[in-house]
């Protein structure tokens, strides 16, 4: 599975699960949604989606009005080429976080400035030791040296390992997806989450994505967001809808409105756009955004759209 925390959420009736439109606060036009998936079932296996699940249909960017970062949904190296090709044709796509096996890194990364990150591992990792296994360290270093951010899809028990990874590769821009997949119903998981988040907050090269939260009750999410904001500050938090995986629980519009409402207005520019711009930048101009040198330069201006190379 990739984004499976929502798979057990209640399903809804009807062929159309959710439209991508966002029609809420006036700030919507400035949002950069840093976690969006698209897929065509004729091209993707998506083994994490069981037969008959309401998400087991095609999803495209039709109707989207915001900029997006596309994130891998399939542990298939061919998927990144599909996402990059889509980005060549659609100016709303400002970046692609693709799947590559960091235990066996490619000899060459795709020569496309839209490739801004790697998602590793593709499945929810529970083992903290896997984060600093020698092969994984080599892969993370290779991705970092190529100027790519590294998205981490982890369970709370693995967060402490991610902190060790961040210390071992301080030049890597690490992005913790889905707020670290907290489980407020489990005392043990909650303890692991809080311990791990505190350790990660001490690592200036780690940012946290407020994504994958549609299934959480609002009161529970409020408490988690408050902790994340206190530990990381708005300059290290970024918004992602996790569309369409969010839709069995909440529409994309609802996810954005709820997240916005839980954040102080002074944080909106960072969380809803600025942090994502600083993290997912064209590779040749991608310093680690939270290092002292980068912070001392002041706020980053929005980057112009990269020149896009021909699709492979």
């Amino acid at each position: 599975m990739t984004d499976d925390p929502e798979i057990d959420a209640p399903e809804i009736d009807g062929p159309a699960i959710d439209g991508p439109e966002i029609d809420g606060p006036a700030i919507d036009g400035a949002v950069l949604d840093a976690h969006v998936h698209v897929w065509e079932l004729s091209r993707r296996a998506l083994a994490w989606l069981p037969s008959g699940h309401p998400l087991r249909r095609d999803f495209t960017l039709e109707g989207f009005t915001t900029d997006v970062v596309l994130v891998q949904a399939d542990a298939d190296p061919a998927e990144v080429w599909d996402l990059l090709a889509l980005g060549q044709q659609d100016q709303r796509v400002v970046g692609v976080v693709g799947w590559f096996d960091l235990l066996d890194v490619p000899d060459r990364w795709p020569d496309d400035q839209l490739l801004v990150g790697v998602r590793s591992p593709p499945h929810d990792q529970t083992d903290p030791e896997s984060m600093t296994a020698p092969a994984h360290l080599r892969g993370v270093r290779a991705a970092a040296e190529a100027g790519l951010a590294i998205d981490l899809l982890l369970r709370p028990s693995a967060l402490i390992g991610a902190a060790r990874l961040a210390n071992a590769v301080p030049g890597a821009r690490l992005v913790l997806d889905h707020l670290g997949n907290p489980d407020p119903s489990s005392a043990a998981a909650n303890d692991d989450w809080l311990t791990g988040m505190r350790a990660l907050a001490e690592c200036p090269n780690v940012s946290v994505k407020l994504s994958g939260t549609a299934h959480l009750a609002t009161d529970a999410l409020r408490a988690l967001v408050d902790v994340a904001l206190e530990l990381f500050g708005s300059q290290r938090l970024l918004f992602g809808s996790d569309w369409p995986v969010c839709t069995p629980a909440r529409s994309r519009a609802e996810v954005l409105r709820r997240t916005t409402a839980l954040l102080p207005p002074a944080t909106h520019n960072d969380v809803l756009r600025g942090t994502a711009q600083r993290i997912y930048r064209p590779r040749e101009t991608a310093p680690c955004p939270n290092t002292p040198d980068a912070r001392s330069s002041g706020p980053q201006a929005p980057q112009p759209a990269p020149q896009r190379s021909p699709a492979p």
Side-chain angles (χ1 to χ4, degrees), residues 34 175 207-210 236-240 270-271 275-276 279-280:
V175 181
S207 298
V208 175
K209 197 178 290 187
L210 303 182
R236 293 169 64 190
L237 299 180
L238 57 160
F239 168 76
D270 282 334
V271 179
T275 303
I279 295 295
Y280 298 124

Side-chain angles (χ1 to χ4, degrees), residues 7-202:
I7 292 301
D8 296 328
E11 299 182 5
I12 65 175
D13 295 330
I17 294 175
D18 176 49
E21 301 84 357
I22 291 181
D23 53 6
I27 197 170
D28 293 348
V31 169
L32 197 173
D33 189 337
H35 206 98
V36 170
H37 305 288
V38 293
W39 57 69
E40 297 179 25
L41 292 182
S42 63
R43 299 180 64 83
R44 302 270 72 82
L46 299 179
W48 56 278
L49 275 178
S51 176
H53 193 277
L55 293 179
R56 198 155 187 86
R57 66 180 181 90
D58 292 352
F59 286 93
T60 72
L61 292 179
E62 182 179 358
F64 270 69
T65 59
T66 61
D67 291 339
V68 301
V69 173
L70 297 180
V71 178
Q72 67 88 214
D74 204 7
D76 178 357
E79 182 193 34
V80 69
W81 297 109
D82 288 347
L83 298 180
L84 291 172
L86 174 60
Q88 298 281 351
Q89 303 163 14
D90 195 324
Q91 292 295 319
R92 293 169 296 186
V93 179
V94 299
V96 168
V97 176
W99 182 84
F100 295 92
D101 184 357
L102 290 186
L103 302 182
D104 184 19
V105 295
D107 294 331
R108 293 185 60 188
W109 303 96
D111 185 18
D112 192 321
Q113 292 181 31
L114 278 177
L115 181 64
V116 296
V118 176
R119 176 121 91 148
S120 170
H123 306 288
D124 295 323
Q125 183 59 256
T126 60
D127 179 12
E129 301 305 319
S130 67
M131 292 290 94
T132 51
H136 190 245
L137 284 175
R138 287 193 295 271
V140 169
R141 288 192 181 102
E145 289 169 1
L148 298 169
I150 295 97
D151 274 40
L152 300 173
L153 186 58
L154 308 175
R155 292 294 178 178
S157 59
L159 298 185
I160 195 68
R164 297 179 193 132
L165 170 65
N167 284 312
V169 192
R173 288 170 290 136
L174 303 180
V175 181
L176 180 64
D177 286 355
H178 301 347
L179 199 55
N181 283 308
D183 181 3
S185 67
S186 167
N190 190 57
D191 288 346
D192 285 344
W193 182 81
L194 190 55
T195 298
M197 293 294 276
R198 285 171 174 161
L200 287 166
E202 296 297 319

